[in-house]
Amino acid sequence: MTAFKGYEKFNETRVPEIKDKLAALKDGQSPPTLFITCSDSRICANDMTQTDYGQLFVIRNAGNSILPANEENGDADQATLEYAVKALGVQEIVICGHSHCGLVTAACSGVDRNQLKYIDNYLGKFADLQATVREKGLELVDAIHTNVRNQMKNVLSYDFVQEQVKAGKLKIHGWYYTLETGSVEVVDTIDAL
Ligand SMILES: [Zn+2]
């Protein structure tokens, strides 16, 4: 279904059912979770976490990535992370990688720069992953796990994240989501420093 058709249906049938819930949203938000996952359309973040309006703060991009703290260039995802931790006070950050990830596949094999210039530029952010893949000859599944761990490390590179983890107020979870079965494997958890 296209987004526009879906919206028409939502507006006709769903909005009347939940109009009170929607009206209450104007008072603010305090989601417990920042969920960082891939842009892949096969991941339905609210469905797989059974979260409702106001419960899941989300960053989505190809490869569920976040830049490390030392790269300061006005990046939207860095700003979103800062807001989630400092303004909203989320209690957990989930990095959710997934099976059959196109970005990690591209990182493993490389892309034709003449055809895919922007993707090739972006793959520069995954240089550590590419080095590990080359060094250890990782299969895709293991490369996706490694990427989740690398992104957890990047999240933890921010001083405001470290402070909250040290204070016991924030946990970082790494997940591997198998989209063909709907199952999650916990790759790693950081709950203390
Ligand atoms: Zn992906």
Side-chain angles (χ1 to χ4, degrees):
M1 192 184 302
T2 62
F4 188 76
K5 285 261 178 255
Y7 170 68
E8 285 181 330
K9 190 176 168 202
F10 170 76
N11 192 41
E12 277 166 29
T13 61
R14 187 84 178 115
V15 169
E17 288 171 11
I18 59 170
K19 63 178 190 315
D20 293 345
K21 191 196 294 188
L22 295 177
L25 296 175
K26 71 179 184 311
D27 298 329
Q29 60 171 331
S30 56
T33 307
L34 168 62
F35 197 71
I36 303 175
T37 196
C38 189
S39 299
D40 196 303
S41 65
R42 297 167 292 182
I43 300 167
C44 205
N46 287 106
D47 199 20
M48 70 171 284
T49 58
Q50 292 290 283
T51 45
D52 203 351
Y53 292 86
Q55 296 178 340
L56 200 66
F57 203 67
V58 179
I59 293 174
R60 293 190 81 150
N61 56 44
N64 36 269
S65 76
I66 194 93
L67 289 172
N70 59 9
E71 293 191 32
E72 297 175 22
N73 62 2
D75 179 74
D77 295 336
Q78 289 181 313
T80 308
L81 172 69
E82 185 174 54
Y83 186 75
V85 174
K86 293 175 89 167
L88 297 176
V90 295
Q91 298 152 35
E92 61 174 8
I93 298 173
V94 178
I95 312 276
C96 180
H98 68 99
S99 58
H100 313 286
C101 183
L103 189 283
V104 177
T105 303
C108 291
S109 60
V111 296
D112 179 354
R113 182 165 178 79
N114 295 322
Q115 297 292 326
L116 300 169
K117 181 177 75 173
Y118 294 100
I119 294 176
D120 190 50
N121 288 343
Y122 180 51
L123 288 180
K125 316 273 182 218
F126 297 83
D128 287 358
L129 172 67
Q130 291 177 313
T132 309
V133 168
R134 269 197 305 273
E135 215 174 277
K136 299 185 178 169
L138 299 183
E139 298 292 327
L140 180 60
V141 172
D142 297 318
I144 294 165
H145 280 74
T146 301
N147 183 47
V148 168
R149 285 202 177 86
N150 289 351
Q151 303 307 330
M152 290 176 78
K153 235 179 278 168
N154 287 351
V155 164
L156 196 59
S157 68
Y158 292 81
D159 55 0
F160 55 84
V161 170
Q162 291 165 20
E163 279 166 24
Q164 292 302 99
V165 174
K166 269 185 202 152
K169 293 179 179 168
L170 178 64
K171 293 179 170 57
I172 304 168
H173 304 285
W175 287 4
Y176 178 91
Y177 176 62
T178 303
L179 47 82
E180 60 268 45
T181 62
S183 65
V184 162
E185 175 197 340
V186 176
V187 175
D188 206 354
T189 301
I190 299 168
D191 56 10
L193 278 178

